[in-house]
Amino acid sequence: MKTQALMDTFDSLGLTQYQQDKVFPGGVNGRAIIVNAGADKENRLAVTSPIDGEKIADFNCASSADVADTVEKAQQAFQYWRTVPAPKRGDLVRLIALVVRERKQALAALITLEMGKTVQESLGEVQEWIDIAEFAVGLSRQLYGLTIATERPEHRMMEQWHPLGPVGVISAFNFPMAVWAWNSMLGLVCGDPVIWKPSEKTPLCALACQQVVMEALARSEFNKIPEAENLSHILVGDKHIGQALARHPGLPLISATGSVPMGKAVAQTVGARLGRHLLELGGNNAMIVAPSAELSLAIRAIVFSAVGTTGQRCTSLRRLLVHESLFDQVCEKVTHAYQQVSIGDPRDENNIIGPLIDEAALQAMTHAIEKARQQGGTVITGGERVNKGGSGGFYVKPCLIKIDLDAPVVKAETFAPILYLDQYSDLQEALTKHNNVPQGLSSAIFTESSREAELFLSAIGSDCGIANVNIGTSGAEIGGAFGGEKETGGGRESGSDAWKNYMRRSTNTINYGKDLPLAQGIKFDI
Ligand code: UN1
């Protein structure tokens, strides 16, 4: 099934036609799609679909030499792109949004095939790309600097935002298009070419994204400009490619999404050359359900946040703190919902839980459940593998575990649908537990009390980058800044003023007088 489905999807994305051009120099060879055909044949990467574990593509990975060459090309593109007025750059991104809108179904189908999220969620991910692209188009006329009051007569002080340079993007499998889109749509309007190392688990999605950009370029006024062809690059490969990008002084910014160990390695390497990094790492997101909570909303929010994307979002709900007065009721309702959810092939619209990405994810889940048991936890429901007609996909029942949230296992992010559940009697005590993890991405409270809600959002409330009231922890809109504190890495991507990451600020003071007054009233007569 895979070969045909993949080829159909690629056909509708125009990829097979495109490969004759230059993205797939090795061509489509039966089931295999080869990138960098000239590269080391030992260095091959097999891509399997999590739907059934079948191999869907074969790659030769990029090499470190490709990194140096690609950065050089991106630098050349930058020399050109930074001179193009920002609203004109925005016009390319407008065309990208247009192509994505036209190809939405096919792009979503590819996400589902390669990453395994449900069609609804894949459509949502593609929508996220459209949203950030259209946001970036508007932004291309709003890259504002301040004018600042100066203490000197006949002077003016202002700031300008200039393009930064080529940006290296390292992304994870779970949002194989949207996270790159957050970075590259903003990067492109800000004047920066983008070099992307996608997850080794989802390179086909990356190729499709590249195809979209190339198609938009072909439709744009930049279609005859050789430098414009080098605005967007992908390098398929393992962590050595990521490390080479992080080391390269030609990339002033590395934006990395993924695990905490990966983020630390990137931060150290980029930091050693005093480059900038933008990190979006692990989350360990919690929700507090207060006594006044509207339970019909809370239960849906809990289940969507905890089991959506099979618990493989950075923003997935992993910890639930329920007031003791509601504990039994919430526990019963969530258990009931967990036992009802349909699990299976994500292409079937009836299923709301697809497979885990791979066997390692299943093992991590099984291991965490075992540890939770050893640390005093009780499995209320789920955790078992579900056999889907002997398919090689890793389908699991979402797992609900009653445990003290101070247990060590709860402090680590396990990228799987495990929800740890605990009760509280006093909100202060709940907040302490809530914040007592190394990560700080997303959080939520369900309450009808404005006092409790405001406390949760205040400086002494949730310590996360995202704090919500009466909605779940996942499913953030692109308009807000996305990211978190502590081991989540401190970066902010996507909306609000996250664009400033992709630009350099120049503070300018202009003297239009006939004197040279010094700041701070310093006298310096020569
Ligand atoms: C991620 O899991 O890395 O808030 C991104 C959400 C999505 C993005 C998640 N908009 O769930």
Side-chain angles (χ1 to χ4, degrees), residues 364-434:
M365 179 170 178
T366 313
H367 190 60
I369 295 170
E370 192 45 46
K371 267 199 191 160
R373 280 206 177 92
Q374 286 161 11
Q375 293 171 18
T378 310
V379 174
I380 302 171
T381 187
E384 317 83 304
R385 184 170 178 188
V386 184
N387 190 341
K388 286 283 154 192
S391 113
F394 296 96
Y395 295 86
V396 288
K397 290 194 177 160
C399 185
L400 190 60
I401 299 180
K402 199 166 137 186
I403 191 168
D404 181 341
L405 290 196
D406 281 333
V409 67
V410 182
K411 304 294 166 81
E413 177 192 44
T414 302
F415 227 53
I418 302 175
L419 180 59
Y420 301 112
L421 174 69
D422 196 1
Q423 57 184 311
Y424 77 91
S425 52
D426 165 68
L427 186 57
Q428 278 302 342
E429 168 210 321
L431 277 171
T432 305
K433 263 193 181 175
H434 177 280

Side-chain angles (χ1 to χ4, degrees), residues 117 124-125 128 172 174-175 178-179 182 257-258 280-281 304 309 312-316 318 413 415 441-442 466 473-478 482 493-494:
K117 66 176 74 172
E125 172 159 3
E128 217 165 318
N174 65 330
F175 274 82
V179 169
W182 297 346
T257 300
E280 202 256 285
L281 311 176
F304 174 73
T309 329
Q312 299 173 113
R313 289 193 192 211
C314 297
T315 49
S316 290
R318 315 217 176 271
E413 177 192 44
F415 227 53
L441 180 54
S442 185
I466 298 169
T473 55
S474 68
E477 299 174 26
I478 59 90
F482 183 91
E493 295 176 307
S494 190

Side-chain angles (χ1 to χ4, degrees), residues 70 125 129 167-172 175-181 183-184 193-199 202-210 213 231-237 241 245 255:
T70 309
E125 172 159 3
W129 179 0
V167 176
V169 175
I170 298 169
S171 67
F175 274 82
M177 295 187 185
V179 169
W180 161 81
N183 285 281
S184 62
V194 176
I195 300 175
W196 180 19
K197 189 207 97 60
S199 162
T202 52
L204 300 180
C205 285
L207 296 182
C209 292
Q210 177 74 351
V213 174
L231 285 172
S232 177
H233 292 270
I234 50 173
L235 289 170
V236 175
I241 299 292
L245 291 174
S255 173

